[in-house]
């Protein structure tokens, strides 16, 4: 029995077809139309409907490149099921190289949105109705905020034996953070509807970090393979199992000044260890930034200038810290360029 066509809005995609679709969002002041770009790959055989999206925050561009490379991968030529690929969701922010929408709202705090609400609410509602609600599985691609970088990691709400856990284990990131759902986020909306969703965090805003992009591409393809969407053998060796973090916290600047970090991204640290020092330009006043827990540095500031209380080092906590350290080291050893380029 032939597979049915896939309907996305007003567009019909036949089995075995790839189609690029422009979903209308709004018009600029100049009356120029603005669209969310989408590509649908509809396989000839039944399977999941996977949504892979980047750029919900307009300055987080690693995800844009991950989506592009996934679409160029030969592996998806014989896909089972359907791939919905959206490289840039927040086209407003992407054009302006900013995290936010023009009204300064965070699109990832606007779901499920409203057709009669703020600009953020309207964009969220359109993206949800036109794209998200068609998906059975979601991978949402992010980076650290401006001037912050993240170790490649998965954030998800995990239940033992759940589909979300299967996806997280398949992805191959060194760290999985069992993160609470944030009201208004895409992950919150999807999970509440029973759609398993992963958030991949890696690298820095407004940068192409190859050490974050390449593992992201491999991770998306691994998840698709685990779900039965891709056939054939995996060419690369199976990654070491990810380590589950049971929580995380930030070490903050004790005073205003200039930061000189003592540790790098991915380092194992002990509670009370000096992670860096903050001093005024003359060095007269100096304060130590100390770790608030035993753990692994999964995020850190890239900007040396710090205000008192500013979050500088993100520390993930683990029940088995040695295993977590091994997982990160194994991941780092597989990267090109080498891990020293993390900072």
């Amino acid at each position: 029995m032939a597979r049915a066509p896939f309907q996305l809005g007003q567009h019909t995609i036949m089995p075995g077809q790839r189609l690029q679709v422009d979903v209308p969002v709004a018009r600029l002041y100049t009356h120029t139309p603005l669209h969310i770009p989408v590509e649908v790959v509809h396989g000839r055989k039944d399977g999941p409907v996977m949504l892979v999206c980047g750029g919900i925050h307009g300055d987080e561009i690693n995800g844009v490149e991950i989506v592009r490379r996934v679409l160029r991968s030969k592996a998806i030529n014989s896909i089972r099921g359907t791939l919905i690929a959206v490289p840039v969701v927040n086209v407003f922010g992407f054009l302006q190289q900013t995290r936010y929408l023009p009204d300064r709202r965070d699109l990832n705090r606007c779901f499920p949105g409203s057709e009669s609400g703020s600009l953020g609410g309207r964009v969220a509602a359109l993206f949800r109705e036109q794209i998200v609600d068609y998906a059975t599985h979601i991978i949402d691609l992010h980076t650290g905020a401006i001037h912050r970088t993240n170790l490649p990691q998965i954030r998800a709400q995990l239940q033992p034996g759940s589909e979300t856990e299967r996806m997280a284990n398949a992805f191959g990131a060194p760290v999985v953070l069992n993160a609470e759902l944030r009201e208004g986020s895409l992950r919150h909306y999807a999970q509440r509807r029973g759609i398993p969703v992963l958030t991949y965090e890696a690298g820095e805003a407004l940068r192409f970090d190859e050490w974050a992009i390449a593992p992201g591409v491999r991770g998306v393809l691994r998840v698709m393979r685990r779900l039965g969407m891709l056939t054939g053998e995996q060419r690369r060796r199976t990654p070491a199992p990810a380590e589950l973090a049971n929580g995380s916290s930030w070490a903050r600047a004790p005073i205003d000044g200039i930061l000189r970090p003592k540790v790098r991204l991915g380092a194992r640290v002990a509670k009370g260890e000096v992670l860096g020092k903050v001093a005024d330009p003359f060095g007269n006043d100096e304060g130590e930034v100390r770790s608030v827990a035993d753990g692994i540095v999964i995020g850190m500031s890239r900007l040396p200038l710090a205000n008192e209380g500013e979050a500088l080092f993100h520390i993930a906590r683990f029940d088995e810290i040695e295993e977590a350290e091994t997982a990160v080291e194994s991941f780092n050893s597989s990267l090109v360029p080498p891990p020293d380029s993390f900072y």
Side-chain angles (χ1 to χ4, degrees), residues 122-133:
R122 292 171 190 239
V123 174
L126 181 144
F127 183 58
R128 169 179 57 81
E129 294 170 359
Q130 297 289 319
I131 299 168
V132 174
D133 287 348

Side-chain angles (χ1 to χ4, degrees), residues 14-332:
M14 303 302 294
Q17 183 183 11
R18 297 174 67 142
L19 183 66
Q20 291 185 358
V21 175
D22 289 329
V23 177
V25 178
R27 290 184 181 272
L28 300 178
Y29 307 126
T30 58
H31 201 63
T32 304
L34 203 60
H35 301 86
I36 295 176
V38 182
E39 183 163 339
V40 179
V41 184
H42 189 46
R44 296 181 184 278
K45 296 183 180 181
D46 289 334
V49 179
M50 169 72 80
L51 167 62
V52 180
C53 60
I56 282 185
H57 294 133
D59 60 355
E60 297 183 2
I61 64 174
N62 279 335
V64 180
E65 177 65 5
I66 291 172
V67 172
R68 186 191 72 83
R69 294 191 193 181
V70 168
L71 287 171
R72 301 282 73 80
S73 171
K74 294 179 180 179
I76 68 169
N77 290 341
S78 56
I79 189 175
R80 296 172 181 263
T82 305
L83 172 65
I84 305 174
V86 186
V88 184
V89 178
N90 180 2
V91 288
F92 290 97
F94 187 72
L95 287 171
Q96 297 298 319
Q97 302 173 22
T98 178
R99 177 185 183 91
Y100 302 105
L101 290 160
D103 60 358
R104 295 296 298 169
R105 290 182 183 269
D106 184 336
L107 180 56
N108 209 30
R109 297 294 179 269
C110 293
F111 288 92
S114 168
E115 295 178 357
S116 59
S118 66
L119 176 61
R122 292 171 190 239
V123 174
L126 181 144
F127 183 58
R128 169 179 57 81
E129 294 170 359
Q130 297 289 319
I131 299 168
V132 174
D133 287 348
Y134 290 92
T136 61
H137 301 73
I138 298 174
I139 299 178
D140 184 20
L141 305 167
H142 287 261
T143 75
I146 189 75
H147 302 313
R148 286 184 183 172
T149 187
N150 283 333
L151 182 77
Q153 61 197 260
I154 289 294
R155 297 184 185 179
Q157 188 179 55
L158 302 176
Q159 298 293 334
S162 66
E163 186 81 330
T164 303
E165 185 182 57
R166 282 182 66 210
M167 292 169 62
N169 290 336
F171 195 96
V175 172
V176 175
L177 190 60
N178 193 3
E180 292 297 321
L181 298 173
R182 290 195 174 184
E183 186 101 23
S185 67
L186 172 61
R187 192 162 65 88
H188 181 272
Y189 169 75
Q191 202 79 45
R192 295 291 181 180
R193 292 198 67 221
I195 303 173
V197 54
L198 302 181
T199 296
Y200 175 62
E201 290 269 1
E204 183 183 356
L206 295 177
R207 296 288 183 272
F208 268 1
D209 299 302
E210 184 60 29
W211 54 264
I213 294 167
V217 175
R218 294 196 296 268
V220 171
L221 296 176
R222 284 191 187 111
V223 172
M224 294 177 69
R225 186 168 281 109
R226 177 67 64 89
L227 296 177
M229 298 180 70
L230 302 180
T231 58
E233 294 295 322
Q234 182 173 303
R235 294 182 180 179
R236 291 181 174 266
R237 62 183 176 86
T238 302
E243 289 300 317
L244 179 63
N246 55 31
S248 67
S249 51
W250 282 90
R252 299 179 180 274
I255 60 173
D256 304 309
I258 299 171
L259 170 68
R260 288 168 290 132
K262 299 294 185 183
V263 298
R264 65 177 179 84
L265 201 63
R268 175 182 175 178
V269 297
K271 184 176 182 179
E273 180 179 341
V274 176
L275 307 178
K277 294 184 178 181
V278 179
D280 66 32
F282 299 102
N284 296 326
D285 191 13
E286 184 173 86
E288 295 177 333
V289 185
R290 293 184 176 272
S291 178
V292 293
D294 297 337
I296 300 290
V297 179
I298 62 169
M300 60 189 297
S301 173
R302 297 275 294 196
L303 185 67
L305 311 179
N307 294 305
E308 183 177 351
E310 189 171 342
L312 299 179
F313 299 90
H314 194 192
I315 312 299
R317 302 185 298 274
F318 300 86
D319 291 331
E320 302 291 341
I321 185 65
E322 289 81 9
E323 283 78 357
E325 182 181 28
T326 300
V328 172
E329 289 177 350
S330 175
F331 178 84
N332 287 350

